[in-house]
Amino acid sequence: MIPRVHKRGSNTFGLLNYLYGKGTHEEHVDPHLVAAWDNFAPDPGRDPQATKRHLQQLLDQPVQALAESRRPAKHVWHLSVRAAPDDPVLSDEQWGEIARRMVAATGIAPAADEAGCRWAAVRHADDHIHIIATLVREDGRRPRLNNDAKRSQAEARLIEAEYGLKQLSTGDGTAAQRPTSAELHKAQRQGRERTTREELRESVRRAVTGARSEEEFFDRLASAGLLIRKREAPSGDLLGYKVALPDDRNKIGEPVFYPGARLAPDLSLPRIRERWSADSDKMESLDSPGSASPNSPSAARRRTATAAWVAIGVVEDGDDAVAAAYVAATGEVLDALAKTSAAHTRSELRDAANAFERASRSHIRAVRGHDRALRQAARDLVHGGPALGRGEDGASTAMVIDMLFFLVTAAAHWHARKGHAQQAEAASRAAEHLRNAYRPAAAQPLGVLYQRGRRLSQRVLQRQTALLRETLPSLAEKILAEPGWYALAATIAEADAAGHDPAALLSDAVESRELGTADSVSDVLVWRLRRRADLPADATGIPKNRTVQNPAKVRPATARATTSGRRFGEEAPGHTR
């Protein structure tokens, strides 16, 4: 149940005219009273003898009874209460009881207080009501409305529990504005899956992802096909911006513009500038180890996996303001990955980015600059271009999804510790979408590794089995019983061929975090080893008949293989902990 206290007004009749009208897009159906301060209050919706003017005069009576100098300038209070999308349709009687509880909880008409304010609850749709009240009590005093929005939220949680409705989390004022009923009906009429506000929010988020200047940001908005209107000071300084979809028009055919701040709090121009002010003068792609081109999609994904791995530690153990910056930058990385993903993962990655959008903001103000590596990773993904979804591109996509899953999960835990219920829930939903995206992304590269492992000679497999039992005695039998063991065996063989010490790599990978509860420990270790040893993600580097050297004679592990990891661990999406 979602209550929302609207801005106070001064025109009682104007609000009643809207509540009892057809709506801006004919969306109001059968407007009628479900409750009021007086059981005999006129209902212009269902009583042919009643009028909106009569109801307005009765509501305003206590206001008019005061001397003009004592009347509040904004005397109209307005609260809408909306059911969650999955909730059942409530009866008029149920909505009436909800209205009485809301006016009591907010201080409009406290229970057993006969001198409370006059109010009326109007229903013109199945899923919500509007409560209008005038802010002068029957005794001429003003109501006590301190924290009325917060109190309405608290009452909504009680109502949800008592009525068996979906339990929502109380917001903290950092969420993006929800689409209005008019916007939802307009999208439905136009055959759009989402409202204009939602489409614009995603487009602006993607435009700001990895951008490092206003010029680049606005160029991206224009390239996305949005109409842009800039607000300038008399001096010529840019103060803000608005965007519109070319085909979204009002009744007189003009584009409907939305300011950035009305799309999301962090999409206002001042908040966007905070990201740029902390960027280095040169935020550009760097070469990545391995055979991939520095600007290729696969190279960008490998760099992103490394940046995400480092970020996990910061989010788990870092200062709150720095962690908040990393969490916010994680949203940019998800947007960039969704924008450049292949068709078989695009939908889930887009849903993950959209879900995490709510988790990217909280009242903990981010200190920008520390998150530069993640923002650079987002920029690399955008400039690396779309991945093909196969070969090294596909395998590196699986690797980065795997790592982002852990980062998003760490963000969910961080929000939960801070009491950010909505953000924690949003991050958890994003993690589930990443799980779903990981499965098709990982199927082909892990399948190739599996076949490589099956082709290893029995002698090599016996040596690797002995190595595994010696290095990981507590996990060896579990790993050997898994289908993914052959993919891990192929990875160990490739690491050995590249000059790494497999025993050192395995020990380092396991010491990162416990693996005993993972569904497939072998899958987890495959990605850990391949990332730490800088092996090609798609297993193209291992000769088919390569045999494993004796671990006792192999060269010592490189510094990259033994020190690139942190003490924070990972499990492949889809595995329980």
Side-chain angles (χ1 to χ4, degrees), residues 233-521:
S235 62
D237 293 336
L238 185 62
L239 300 177
Y241 73 99
K242 298 179 180 180
V243 289
L245 294 178
D247 59 348
D248 183 43
R249 305 274 170 165
N250 58 21
K251 291 182 178 179
I252 60 175
E254 296 176 336
V256 180
F257 282 89
Y258 290 78
R262 296 292 297 276
L263 299 176
D266 57 343
L267 294 182
S268 67
L269 189 59
R271 293 291 298 276
I272 291 175
R273 281 171 170 162
E274 290 177 8
R275 314 184 197 199
W276 300 326
S277 64
D279 286 341
S280 59
D281 292 336
K282 291 186 178 181
M283 201 170 102
E284 56 191 1
S285 299
L286 303 174
D287 286 2
S288 173
S291 59
S293 166
N295 296 318
S296 69
S298 57
R301 279 154 171 73
R302 292 183 69 96
R303 288 193 294 270
T304 301
T306 299
W309 178 244
V310 174
I312 293 170
V314 178
V315 172
E316 289 190 345
D317 282 356
D319 175 80
D320 281 350
V322 176
Y326 273 81
V327 171
T330 299
E332 292 195 47
V333 174
L334 290 172
D335 279 322
L337 187 63
K339 182 177 181 179
T340 59
S341 59
H344 65 302
T345 59
R346 186 177 304 140
S347 177
E348 289 290 352
L349 289 175
R350 180 179 176 182
D351 288 343
N354 289 337
F356 194 81
E357 185 267 345
R358 178 65 188 98
S360 64
R361 295 183 302 273
S362 70
H363 279 304
I364 298 177
R365 195 63 176 266
V367 176
R368 292 291 188 170
H370 301 280
D371 59 336
R372 188 176 298 125
L374 273 183
R375 295 203 67 241
Q376 175 68 61
R379 183 175 181 82
D380 287 349
L381 288 171
V382 171
H383 286 272
L388 300 176
R390 59 180 181 270
E392 181 70 13
D393 281 0
S396 59
T397 296
M399 181 184 292
V400 75
I401 293 173
D402 176 72
M403 200 61 62
L404 286 172
F405 170 81
F406 311 132
L407 178 54
V408 167
T409 300
H413 293 162
W414 181 78
H415 279 305
R417 292 197 303 271
K418 302 302 173 187
H420 306 157
Q422 288 190 354
Q423 290 90 332
E425 181 184 1
S428 296
R429 283 190 284 109
E432 286 304 310
H433 287 299
L434 288 173
R435 284 183 189 272
N436 296 336
Y438 171 82
R439 295 183 184 107
Q444 190 274 338
L446 286 178
V448 171
L449 283 169
Y450 176 87
Q451 293 300 327
R452 289 287 178 89
R454 294 284 292 183
R455 286 197 291 265
L456 293 173
S457 69
Q458 191 64 28
R459 181 184 176 191
V460 170
L461 287 172
Q462 287 173 349
R463 287 182 177 178
Q464 293 190 350
T465 299
L467 171 68
L468 190 69
R469 285 176 171 151
E470 180 181 352
T471 309
L472 307 177
S474 62
L475 295 173
E477 299 310 318
K478 178 178 175 62
I479 294 172
L480 292 170
E482 295 174 346
W485 157 241
Y486 290 102
L488 179 58
T491 297
I492 293 173
E494 188 175 352
D496 175 55
H500 296 280
D501 181 352
L505 282 176
L506 284 168
S507 297
D508 189 34
V510 172
E511 287 172 3
S512 304
R513 182 181 268 175
E514 62 85 20
L515 292 171
T517 58
D519 286 345
S520 178
V521 177

